[in-house]
Amino acid sequence: PDGRLFADEAGGRMRVRDTRTGRVLHELAADGWAGRFGVFSPDGARLAVRRYLLKHTDRGVALGDEPEVLRLYDTRTGAKTGEVRLTNGVSWVVPAFS
């Protein structure tokens, strides 16, 4: 919301980057999960990301059998600070901050 940061994904790793320079500030843990959608908190201190597990098959890469998760990260450190499993038909949830 403040325009200072953006997130992207490369090589299966989510990254927090500086908007002005494009410099990677943090790479989030490579854990087999891929990002689908994320939002920053109004103060830019947190990043909420919907993530899903990938599995490798003989046909390539597919979504895993695990339910999607909503993960919360600290943008200053890149550390995961929370997780909610999106089960029982709530995988359509779009993260938002109050």
Side-chain angles (χ1 to χ4, degrees):
D2 63 10
R4 294 181 304 115
L5 304 172
F6 70 96
D8 69 357
E9 184 176 5
R13 295 191 75 155
M14 292 288 296
R15 304 179 299 184
V16 175
R17 299 174 70 141
D18 179 270
T19 300
R20 188 174 49 82
T21 65
R23 185 173 64 94
V24 174
L25 302 175
H26 302 289
E27 285 191 345
L28 307 182
D31 54 9
W33 292 76
R36 176 174 279 176
F37 183 86
V39 295
F40 287 94
S41 62
D43 63 0
R46 299 276 184 267
L47 173 62
V49 179
R50 274 184 51 198
R51 295 184 67 125
Y52 54 93
L53 186 61
L54 297 176
K55 66 179 177 181
H56 296 277
T57 69
D58 57 350
R59 293 185 172 160
V61 178
L63 291 178
D65 300 325
E66 293 289 321
E68 291 184 31
V69 296
L70 178 65
R71 288 194 173 158
L72 190 63
Y73 296 91
D74 183 318
T75 60
R76 290 177 288 255
T77 65
K80 182 178 86 169
T81 60
E83 177 175 289
V84 175
R85 291 201 177 275
L86 303 175
T87 59
N88 299 323
V90 296
S91 64
W92 55 266
V93 169
V94 175
F97 286 91
S98 63

XYZ file of all heavy atoms in Angstrom:
760
model
N 0.801 -1.225 0.000
C 0.000 0.000 0.000
C 0.834 1.275 0.000
O 0.408 2.283 -0.540
C -0.818 -0.113 1.275
C -0.933 -1.571 1.539
C 0.372 -2.139 1.034
N 2.035 1.232 0.611
C 2.861 2.444 0.633
C 3.789 2.525 -0.574
O 4.523 3.497 -0.740
C 3.650 2.549 1.932
C 4.642 1.408 2.135
O 4.868 0.618 1.197
O 5.194 1.310 3.238
N 3.793 1.506 -1.440
C 4.576 1.529 -2.662
C 6.056 1.243 -2.508
O 6.801 1.275 -3.477
N 6.514 0.928 -1.293
C 7.947 0.700 -1.070
C 8.404 -0.694 -1.460
O 9.562 -0.893 -1.788
C 8.312 0.926 0.394
C 8.166 2.350 0.889
C 8.564 2.501 2.359
N 7.814 1.596 3.221
C 8.351 0.594 3.925
N 9.635 0.367 3.907
N 7.586 -0.191 4.669
N 7.505 -1.683 -1.383
C 7.883 -3.075 -1.580
C 6.985 -3.744 -2.607
O 5.852 -3.328 -2.817
C 7.746 -3.846 -0.256
C 8.503 -3.312 0.948
C 8.103 -4.065 2.204
C 10.004 -3.408 0.725
N 7.516 -4.811 -3.216
C 6.679 -5.707 -3.998
C 7.205 -7.119 -3.823
O 8.328 -7.321 -3.357
C 6.596 -5.288 -5.473
C 7.851 -5.481 -6.276
C 8.039 -6.629 -7.049
C 8.823 -4.501 -6.308
C 9.180 -6.791 -7.817
C 9.968 -4.650 -7.083
C 10.153 -5.803 -7.832
N 6.378 -8.104 -4.142
C 6.760 -9.503 -4.008
C 6.682 -10.160 -5.371
O 5.826 -9.826 -6.189
C 5.839 -10.210 -3.019
N 7.599 -11.088 -5.604
C 7.554 -11.894 -6.804
C 8.056 -13.286 -6.462
O 8.392 -13.569 -5.313
C 8.343 -11.249 -7.949
C 9.853 -11.226 -7.729
O 10.330 -11.663 -6.664
O 10.559 -10.763 -8.629
N 8.069 -14.150 -7.462
C 8.518 -15.515 -7.242
C 9.421 -15.921 -8.396
O 9.121 -15.646 -9.561
C 7.314 -16.456 -7.165
C 7.683 -17.874 -6.856
C 6.465 -18.768 -6.697
O 5.341 -18.310 -6.909
O 6.664 -19.942 -6.378
N 10.526 -16.550 -8.069
C 11.447 -17.060 -9.081
C 12.073 -18.341 -8.551
O 12.499 -18.396 -7.396
C 12.534 -16.040 -9.394
N 12.094 -19.359 -9.372
C 12.705 -20.623 -8.963
C 12.046 -21.235 -7.749
O 12.706 -21.890 -6.954
N 10.739 -21.021 -7.586
C 10.024 -21.588 -6.445
C 10.218 -20.837 -5.148
O 9.791 -21.306 -4.104
N 10.851 -19.667 -5.202
C 11.082 -18.889 -3.977
C 10.405 -17.543 -4.081
O 10.603 -16.809 -5.045
C 12.573 -18.691 -3.739
C 13.262 -20.020 -3.467
C 14.623 -19.802 -2.989
N 14.578 -19.361 -1.598
C 15.551 -19.530 -0.751
N 16.647 -20.105 -1.126
N 15.453 -19.103 0.479
N 9.609 -17.213 -3.067
C 8.997 -15.894 -2.984
C 10.072 -14.916 -2.528
O 10.927 -15.251 -1.702
C 7.857 -15.885 -1.964
C 6.651 -16.710 -2.356
S 5.680 -15.984 -3.677
C 5.096 -14.480 -2.937
N 10.017 -13.703 -3.083
C 11.009 -12.682 -2.729
C 10.302 -11.371 -2.420
O 9.309 -11.034 -3.060
C 11.980 -12.467 -3.884
C 12.659 -13.743 -4.321
C 13.595 -13.560 -5.468
N 12.909 -13.063 -6.655
C 13.502 -12.881 -7.828
N 14.774 -13.134 -7.970
N 12.830 -12.430 -8.860
N 10.835 -10.640 -1.454
C 10.387 -9.282 -1.154
C 11.437 -8.354 -1.736
O 12.637 -8.510 -1.464
C 10.242 -9.056 0.369
C 9.885 -7.610 0.667
C 9.194 -9.998 0.954
N 10.979 -7.387 -2.553
C 11.916 -6.523 -3.266
C 11.603 -5.053 -3.023
O 10.474 -4.686 -2.737
C 11.857 -6.823 -4.756
C 12.251 -8.270 -5.044
C 12.059 -8.611 -6.479
N 13.035 -7.909 -7.281
C 13.651 -8.414 -8.323
N 13.396 -9.639 -8.714
N 14.507 -7.713 -9.004
N 12.617 -4.227 -3.160
C 12.491 -2.778 -3.051
C 11.966 -2.244 -4.390
O 12.549 -2.528 -5.439
C 13.862 -2.173 -2.738
C 13.812 -0.667 -2.639
O 14.003 -0.005 -3.689
O 13.593 -0.154 -1.534
N 10.876 -1.490 -4.356
C 10.267 -0.987 -5.586
C 11.179 -0.020 -6.326
O 11.293 -0.062 -7.546
C 8.926 -0.293 -5.260
O 8.072 -1.256 -4.644
C 8.258 0.236 -6.498
N 11.835 0.842 -5.598
C 12.663 1.871 -6.231
C 13.843 1.277 -6.982
O 14.139 1.666 -8.109
C 13.139 2.870 -5.177
C 13.852 4.095 -5.731
C 14.174 5.105 -4.645
N 14.812 4.540 -3.465
C 16.118 4.270 -3.355
N 16.925 4.521 -4.356
N 16.609 3.771 -2.247
N 14.520 0.292 -6.378
C 15.742 -0.251 -6.973
C 15.555 -1.634 -7.592
O 16.388 -2.066 -8.383
C 16.844 -0.369 -5.909
O 16.437 -1.339 -4.927
C 17.124 0.969 -5.251
N 14.505 -2.344 -7.202
C 14.307 -3.717 -7.661
C 15.150 -4.727 -6.904
O 15.088 -5.921 -7.143
N 15.942 -4.245 -5.952
C 16.835 -5.119 -5.187
C 16.036 -6.098 -4.332
O 15.033 -5.753 -3.735
C 17.724 -4.261 -4.285
C 18.774 -5.036 -3.517
C 19.720 -4.090 -2.789
N 19.050 -3.298 -1.780
C 18.977 -3.643 -0.486
N 19.536 -4.748 -0.062
N 18.363 -2.864 0.375
N 16.486 -7.358 -4.290
C 15.861 -8.370 -3.438
C 16.265 -8.087 -1.997
O 17.457 -8.079 -1.672
C 16.288 -9.797 -3.853
C 15.744 -10.823 -2.870
C 15.828 -10.097 -5.271
N 15.279 -7.856 -1.133
C 15.547 -7.610 0.286
C 15.587 -8.917 1.066
O 16.408 -9.081 1.958
C 14.490 -6.677 0.858
C 14.365 -5.319 0.176
C 13.193 -4.537 0.753
C 15.659 -4.540 0.303
N 14.653 -9.832 0.724
C 14.579 -11.123 1.413
C 14.046 -12.177 0.461
O 13.163 -11.896 -0.344
C 13.646 -11.065 2.623
C 14.024 -10.051 3.626
N 15.119 -10.183 4.437
C 13.481 -8.862 3.941
C 15.219 -9.114 5.206
N 14.235 -8.296 4.916
N 14.589 -13.388 0.575
C 13.992 -14.545 -0.071
C 13.328 -15.356 1.025
O 13.947 -15.645 2.050
C 15.044 -15.385 -0.774
C 15.525 -14.776 -2.064
C 16.369 -15.738 -2.885
O 16.813 -16.771 -2.349
O 16.575 -15.433 -4.048
N 12.070 -15.699 0.801
C 11.352 -16.497 1.782
C 11.796 -17.950 1.637
O 12.315 -18.359 0.602
C 9.854 -16.351 1.578
C 9.357 -14.898 1.539
C 7.851 -14.858 1.376
C 9.786 -14.117 2.762
N 11.617 -18.728 2.675
C 12.112 -20.097 2.720
C 11.634 -20.916 1.522
O 10.473 -20.856 1.143
C 11.653 -20.771 4.008
N 12.543 -21.674 0.912
C 12.203 -22.602 -0.163
C 11.682 -23.869 0.501
O 12.443 -24.626 1.081
C 13.422 -22.901 -1.016
N 10.373 -24.073 0.445
C 9.777 -25.172 1.188
C 8.848 -26.039 0.340
O 8.054 -26.800 0.851
C 9.005 -24.623 2.391
C 7.990 -23.564 1.993
O 7.763 -23.368 0.781
O 7.418 -22.935 2.893
N 8.946 -25.923 -0.983
C 8.102 -26.725 -1.858
C 6.746 -26.106 -2.139
O 5.971 -26.632 -2.914
N 6.467 -24.980 -1.506
C 5.189 -24.301 -1.703
C 5.390 -23.145 -2.662
O 6.413 -22.476 -2.646
C 4.653 -23.779 -0.370
C 4.259 -24.866 0.564
C 5.117 -25.641 1.296
C 2.957 -25.318 0.869
N 4.415 -26.536 2.043
C 3.077 -26.360 1.801
C 1.688 -24.931 0.456
C 1.978 -27.036 2.318
C 0.602 -25.602 0.976
C 0.751 -26.637 1.887
N 4.400 -22.890 -3.508
C 4.461 -21.784 -4.460
C 3.426 -20.742 -4.071
O 2.386 -21.061 -3.501
C 4.189 -22.284 -5.873
N 3.704 -19.492 -4.375
C 2.767 -18.412 -4.064
C 1.702 -18.281 -5.122
O 1.924 -18.564 -6.294
N 0.543 -17.839 -4.711
C -0.535 -17.636 -5.661
C -1.026 -16.199 -5.607
O -1.312 -15.594 -6.618
C -1.686 -18.586 -5.356
C -2.880 -18.343 -6.257
C -3.945 -19.342 -6.066
N -3.606 -20.541 -6.820
C -4.314 -21.626 -6.786
N -5.381 -21.707 -6.034
N -3.975 -22.669 -7.500
N -1.127 -15.640 -4.431
C -1.668 -14.296 -4.275
C -1.191 -13.759 -2.942
O -1.178 -14.478 -1.961
C -3.204 -14.358 -4.303
C -3.857 -13.016 -4.231
C -4.077 -12.280 -5.379
C -4.230 -12.475 -3.018
C -4.671 -11.028 -5.316
C -4.831 -11.232 -2.947
C -5.049 -10.510 -4.095
N -0.794 -12.498 -2.896
C -0.339 -11.926 -1.640
C -0.692 -10.454 -1.527
O -0.902 -9.785 -2.544
N -0.771 -9.992 -0.291
C -1.017 -8.573 -0.023
C -0.125 -8.125 1.125
O 0.213 -8.903 2.008
C -2.493 -8.276 0.337
C -3.411 -8.556 -0.829
C -2.937 -9.038 1.562
N 0.250 -6.856 1.067
C 1.027 -6.251 2.147
C 0.085 -5.576 3.130
O -0.963 -5.045 2.743
C 1.990 -5.199 1.581
C 3.145 -5.792 0.840
C 3.095 -5.958 -0.526
C 4.290 -6.185 1.523
C 4.162 -6.500 -1.216
C 5.358 -6.736 0.843
C 5.292 -6.894 -0.532
N 0.482 -5.563 4.402
C -0.267 -4.813 5.410
C -0.139 -3.322 5.095
O 0.790 -2.911 4.391
C 0.269 -5.118 6.809
O 1.619 -4.731 6.927
N -1.053 -2.491 5.599
C -0.995 -1.055 5.303
C 0.343 -0.397 5.646
O 0.775 0.514 4.956
C -2.132 -0.478 6.140
C -3.109 -1.596 6.234
C -2.257 -2.837 6.348
N 1.021 -0.884 6.685
C 2.312 -0.290 7.051
C 3.491 -0.974 6.353
O 4.640 -0.600 6.555
C 2.506 -0.320 8.564
C 2.569 -1.722 9.148
O 2.459 -2.716 8.383
O 2.718 -1.838 10.373
N 3.224 -1.995 5.537
C 4.279 -2.691 4.812
C 5.106 -3.640 5.654
O 6.066 -4.214 5.168
N 4.737 -3.852 6.914
C 5.524 -4.697 7.807
C 5.231 -6.185 7.653
O 6.035 -7.017 8.062
C 5.281 -4.292 9.264
N 4.094 -6.541 7.064
C 3.695 -7.935 6.914
C 3.289 -8.208 5.470
O 2.812 -7.329 4.755
C 2.511 -8.275 7.818
C 2.787 -8.086 9.292
C 3.469 -9.304 9.870
N 3.660 -9.184 11.297
C 4.757 -8.709 11.853
N 5.748 -8.290 11.119
N 4.878 -8.655 13.156
N 3.469 -9.463 5.078
C 3.031 -9.941 3.772
C 2.216 -11.208 4.009
O 2.711 -12.156 4.626
C 4.235 -10.246 2.876
C 3.974 -10.919 1.535
C 3.115 -10.030 0.641
C 5.286 -11.276 0.855
N 0.965 -11.216 3.565
C 0.109 -12.401 3.650
C 0.058 -13.018 2.255
O -0.258 -12.340 1.279
C -1.291 -12.021 4.118
N 0.378 -14.318 2.164
C 0.462 -14.993 0.872
C -0.330 -16.290 0.906
O -0.159 -17.099 1.818
C 1.930 -15.321 0.510
C 2.012 -16.034 -0.827
C 2.786 -14.080 0.511
N -1.197 -16.477 -0.089
C -1.831 -17.782 -0.296
C -0.818 -18.660 -0.997
O -0.255 -18.282 -2.014
C -3.066 -17.643 -1.178
C -4.288 -17.299 -0.405
C -5.520 -17.261 -1.253
N -5.694 -18.455 -2.064
C -6.498 -18.499 -3.116
N -7.180 -17.442 -3.481
N -6.640 -19.599 -3.807
N -0.598 -19.848 -0.441
C 0.404 -20.745 -1.027
C -0.186 -22.126 -1.221
O -1.073 -22.539 -0.492
C 1.625 -20.812 -0.121
C 2.319 -19.438 -0.054
C 3.570 -19.488 0.738
N 4.556 -20.297 0.051
C 5.770 -19.884 -0.260
N 6.150 -18.679 0.053
N 6.620 -20.669 -0.858
N 0.325 -22.830 -2.203
C -0.110 -24.193 -2.470
C 1.113 -25.066 -2.696
O 2.151 -24.604 -3.152
C -1.057 -24.252 -3.676
C -0.493 -23.622 -4.924
C 0.180 -24.393 -5.860
C -0.621 -22.259 -5.152
C 0.710 -23.814 -7.001
C -0.091 -21.676 -6.292
C 0.574 -22.456 -7.214
O 1.105 -21.874 -8.336
N 0.973 -26.344 -2.353
C 2.082 -27.290 -2.454
C 2.148 -27.840 -3.877
O 1.133 -28.207 -4.456
C 1.895 -28.435 -1.462
C 3.039 -29.424 -1.338
C 4.305 -28.722 -0.857
C 2.682 -30.543 -0.383
N 3.352 -27.889 -4.421
C 3.572 -28.467 -5.742
C 4.102 -29.878 -5.591
O 4.828 -30.195 -4.653
C 4.577 -27.630 -6.525
C 4.173 -26.206 -6.844
C 5.318 -25.483 -7.548
C 2.919 -26.168 -7.689
N 3.729 -30.736 -6.533
C 4.324 -32.074 -6.568
C 4.783 -32.346 -7.991
O 4.222 -31.849 -8.962
C 3.335 -33.131 -6.091
C 2.136 -33.323 -6.982
C 1.225 -34.399 -6.438
C -0.022 -34.544 -7.307
N -0.930 -35.547 -6.794
N 5.843 -33.106 -8.102
C 6.398 -33.444 -9.408
C 5.835 -34.798 -9.833
O 5.850 -35.754 -9.065
C 7.919 -33.464 -9.344
C 8.480 -32.115 -9.023
N 8.674 -31.153 -9.978
C 8.847 -31.547 -7.853
C 9.144 -30.062 -9.426
N 9.258 -30.269 -8.126
N 5.323 -34.857 -11.044
C 4.752 -36.089 -11.581
C 5.462 -36.418 -12.885
O 6.286 -35.640 -13.385
C 3.240 -35.923 -11.849
O 3.061 -35.017 -12.943
C 2.518 -35.396 -10.616
N 5.116 -37.560 -13.482
C 5.708 -37.921 -14.773
C 5.243 -36.995 -15.891
O 5.834 -36.945 -16.953
C 5.416 -39.379 -15.118
C 3.932 -39.701 -15.141
O 3.116 -38.863 -14.709
O 3.594 -40.812 -15.594
N 4.195 -36.219 -15.629
C 3.700 -35.247 -16.609
C 4.186 -33.829 -16.325
O 3.775 -32.893 -16.985
C 2.181 -35.261 -16.623
C 1.618 -36.539 -17.142
C 0.136 -36.445 -17.251
N -0.386 -37.606 -17.932
C -1.608 -38.007 -17.855
N -2.483 -37.328 -17.125
N -2.011 -39.066 -18.500
N 4.982 -33.655 -15.304
C 5.487 -32.330 -14.952
C 5.127 -31.967 -13.530
O 5.081 -32.819 -12.652
N 4.815 -30.708 -13.311
C 4.485 -30.213 -11.977
C 2.975 -30.035 -11.875
O 2.338 -29.532 -12.793
C 5.202 -28.875 -11.697
C 4.824 -28.337 -10.337
C 6.703 -29.056 -11.801
N 2.422 -30.444 -10.735
C 0.981 -30.314 -10.499
C 0.758 -29.851 -9.074
O 1.672 -29.861 -8.247
C 0.288 -31.654 -10.721
N -0.466 -29.432 -8.787
C -0.804 -29.066 -7.414
C -0.753 -30.302 -6.537
O -1.178 -31.383 -6.945
C -2.206 -28.456 -7.341
C -2.381 -27.090 -7.988
C -3.835 -26.648 -7.869
C -1.474 -26.066 -7.366
N -0.251 -30.146 -5.331
C -0.170 -31.249 -4.395
C -1.514 -31.553 -3.759
O -2.514 -30.875 -4.005
N -1.530 -32.591 -2.938
C -2.757 -33.016 -2.278
C -3.038 -32.267 -0.983
O -4.119 -32.376 -0.424
C -2.690 -34.518 -1.990
C -2.533 -35.326 -3.267
O -3.102 -34.923 -4.296
O -1.817 -36.349 -3.232
N -2.066 -31.523 -0.494
C -2.232 -30.760 0.737
C -3.131 -29.556 0.482
O -3.102 -28.974 -0.601
C -0.882 -30.268 1.254
C 0.039 -31.359 1.710
C -0.430 -31.996 2.998
O -0.923 -31.279 3.883
O -0.324 -33.223 3.101
N -3.917 -29.120 1.476
C -4.728 -27.916 1.290
C -3.840 -26.677 1.194
O -2.715 -26.669 1.707
C -5.591 -27.858 2.550
C -4.884 -28.686 3.550
C -4.103 -29.720 2.792
N -4.353 -25.671 0.516
C -3.630 -24.405 0.444
C -3.487 -23.823 1.841
O -4.230 -24.184 2.753
C -4.370 -23.412 -0.440
C -4.374 -23.790 -1.904
C -5.026 -22.742 -2.760
O -4.963 -21.543 -2.433
O -5.592 -23.127 -3.791
N -2.530 -22.908 1.997
C -2.321 -22.242 3.277
C -2.239 -20.740 3.049
O -1.916 -20.273 1.958
C -1.038 -22.722 3.997
C -1.129 -24.178 4.371
C 0.199 -22.437 3.184
N -2.560 -20.007 4.078
C -2.339 -18.565 4.108
C -1.187 -18.362 5.073
O -1.276 -18.737 6.242
C -3.592 -17.840 4.598
C -3.472 -16.326 4.730
C -3.247 -15.693 3.363
C -4.706 -15.754 5.381
N -0.081 -17.824 4.573
C 1.095 -17.618 5.421
C 1.355 -16.135 5.590
O 1.152 -15.346 4.675
C 2.322 -18.277 4.806
C 2.249 -19.778 4.914
C 3.565 -20.409 4.621
N 3.467 -21.839 4.898
C 4.268 -22.731 4.379
N 5.243 -22.360 3.575
N 4.138 -24.002 4.670
N 1.814 -15.795 6.773
C 2.128 -14.417 7.115
C 3.634 -14.309 7.315
O 4.238 -15.137 8.003
C 1.398 -14.026 8.400
C 1.421 -12.562 8.797
C 0.705 -11.720 7.745
C 0.757 -12.382 10.151
N 4.244 -13.297 6.685
C 5.686 -13.083 6.760
C 5.994 -11.675 7.259
O 5.249 -10.742 6.989
C 6.328 -13.240 5.374
C 6.216 -14.626 4.811
C 5.136 -14.977 4.014
C 7.185 -15.576 5.077
C 5.020 -16.254 3.496
C 7.082 -16.859 4.550
C 5.999 -17.188 3.770
O 5.891 -18.454 3.250
N 7.113 -11.546 7.951
C 7.635 -10.254 8.376
C 8.496 -9.728 7.223
O 9.473 -10.377 6.841
C 8.477 -10.430 9.641
C 9.013 -9.131 10.194
O 9.469 -8.277 9.404
O 8.990 -8.971 11.417
N 8.160 -8.580 6.651
C 8.895 -8.073 5.487
C 10.282 -7.552 5.846
O 11.132 -7.424 4.980
C 8.117 -6.964 4.765
O 7.879 -5.884 5.654
C 6.801 -7.491 4.217
N 10.526 -7.257 7.125
C 11.853 -6.772 7.519
C 12.870 -7.898 7.613
O 14.057 -7.683 7.462
C 11.759 -6.021 8.836
C 11.035 -4.678 8.703
C 10.894 -4.003 10.049
N 9.921 -4.696 10.867
C 8.689 -4.263 11.127
N 8.291 -3.115 10.652
N 7.871 -4.957 11.871
N 12.387 -9.126 7.892
C 13.307 -10.254 8.071
C 13.085 -11.373 7.067
O 13.965 -12.207 6.879
C 13.152 -10.854 9.479
O 11.836 -11.421 9.593
C 13.379 -9.806 10.552
N 11.897 -11.435 6.462
C 11.548 -12.540 5.572
C 11.092 -13.778 6.325
O 10.794 -14.804 5.714
N 11.007 -13.720 7.662
C 10.622 -14.874 8.472
C 9.115 -15.113 8.426
O 8.325 -14.171 8.428
C 11.044 -14.660 9.926
N 8.731 -16.394 8.384
C 7.322 -16.764 8.476
C 6.877 -16.539 9.910
O 7.544 -16.981 10.850
C 7.120 -18.223 8.080
C 5.657 -18.650 8.118
C 5.484 -20.081 7.669
C 5.695 -21.003 8.839
N 5.301 -22.389 8.601
N 5.756 -15.836 10.098
C 5.278 -15.544 11.454
C 3.938 -16.191 11.762
O 3.477 -16.108 12.891
C 5.168 -14.026 11.676
O 4.256 -13.479 10.731
C 6.523 -13.353 11.545
N 3.317 -16.834 10.789
C 2.046 -17.494 11.051
C 1.565 -18.260 9.837
O 2.053 -18.076 8.729
N 0.579 -19.155 10.073
C 0.032 -19.964 8.990
C -1.375 -20.420 9.343
O -1.644 -20.778 10.480
C 0.922 -21.188 8.762
C 0.407 -22.135 7.712
C 1.371 -23.264 7.446
O 2.426 -23.004 6.848
O 1.062 -24.398 7.844
N -2.267 -20.391 8.347
C -3.623 -20.904 8.494
C -3.874 -21.836 7.318
O -3.724 -21.432 6.160
C -4.674 -19.760 8.477
C -6.078 -20.317 8.517
C -4.425 -18.786 9.611
N -4.229 -23.091 7.597
C -4.569 -24.028 6.521
C -5.968 -23.705 6.007
O -6.898 -23.518 6.779
C -4.519 -25.462 7.019
C -3.115 -25.895 7.332
C -3.001 -27.410 7.333
N -1.637 -27.821 7.557
C -0.725 -27.933 6.599
N -1.042 -27.654 5.374
N 0.498 -28.302 6.865
N -6.100 -23.616 4.688
C -7.368 -23.265 4.057
C -8.074 -24.550 3.644
O -7.910 -25.048 2.540
C -7.127 -22.352 2.859
C -6.379 -21.064 3.178
C -6.079 -20.289 1.913
C -7.161 -20.210 4.157
N -8.864 -25.088 4.562
C -9.553 -26.357 4.328
C -11.060 -26.135 4.282
O -11.539 -25.022 4.479
C -9.222 -27.360 5.446
O -9.616 -26.802 6.700
C -7.738 -27.680 5.482
N -11.772 -27.192 4.021
C -13.239 -27.172 4.021
C -13.821 -26.141 3.073
O -14.746 -25.409 3.407
C -13.774 -26.943 5.437
C -13.357 -28.045 6.374
O -13.296 -29.197 5.974
N -13.027 -27.699 7.602
N -13.241 -26.064 1.872
C -13.810 -25.200 0.848
C -13.503 -23.728 0.978
O -14.135 -22.914 0.332
N -12.537 -23.354 1.804
C -12.225 -21.928 1.928
C -10.943 -21.553 1.186
O -10.372 -20.521 1.438
C -12.129 -21.465 3.408
C -13.446 -21.597 4.101
C -11.042 -22.205 4.153
N -10.511 -22.379 0.237
C -9.286 -22.051 -0.489
C -9.472 -20.856 -1.418
O -8.522 -20.357 -1.979
C -8.782 -23.256 -1.281
O -9.704 -23.602 -2.277
N -10.680 -20.373 -1.564
C -10.938 -19.179 -2.365
C -10.608 -17.904 -1.616
O -10.684 -16.820 -2.175
C -12.409 -19.145 -2.809
C -13.337 -19.236 -1.654
C -13.898 -20.384 -1.155
C -13.796 -18.187 -0.806
N -14.665 -20.103 -0.055
C -14.626 -18.743 0.186
C -13.586 -16.810 -0.790
C -15.241 -17.986 1.172
C -14.198 -16.058 0.197
C -15.013 -16.649 1.159
N -10.236 -18.012 -0.364
C -9.970 -16.847 0.479
C -8.890 -15.963 -0.147
O -7.858 -16.442 -0.585
C -9.534 -17.276 1.890
C -8.994 -16.109 2.691
C -10.681 -17.942 2.617
N -9.165 -14.673 -0.195
C -8.182 -13.690 -0.635
C -7.719 -12.944 0.611
O -8.533 -12.400 1.346
C -8.809 -12.690 -1.647
C -7.818 -11.612 -2.005
C -9.269 -13.447 -2.883
N -6.409 -12.946 0.897
C -5.943 -12.290 2.117
C -6.198 -10.787 2.082
O -6.135 -10.151 1.035
C -4.445 -12.588 2.150
C -4.088 -13.016 0.782
C -5.322 -13.517 0.118
N -6.530 -10.247 3.256
C -6.761 -8.805 3.407
C -6.411 -8.422 4.833
O -6.491 -9.234 5.745
C -8.210 -8.448 3.114
N -6.020 -7.191 5.029
C -5.724 -6.673 6.358
C -6.793 -5.669 6.746
O -7.332 -4.957 5.895
C -4.353 -5.976 6.383
C -3.200 -6.924 6.331
C -2.648 -7.313 5.136
C -2.668 -7.446 7.511
C -1.582 -8.187 5.089
C -1.605 -8.314 7.474
C -1.062 -8.705 6.258
N -7.091 -5.608 8.043
C -8.059 -4.605 8.524
C -7.397 -3.260 8.607
O -6.189 -3.154 8.578
C -8.611 -5.012 9.879
O -7.589 -5.054 10.847
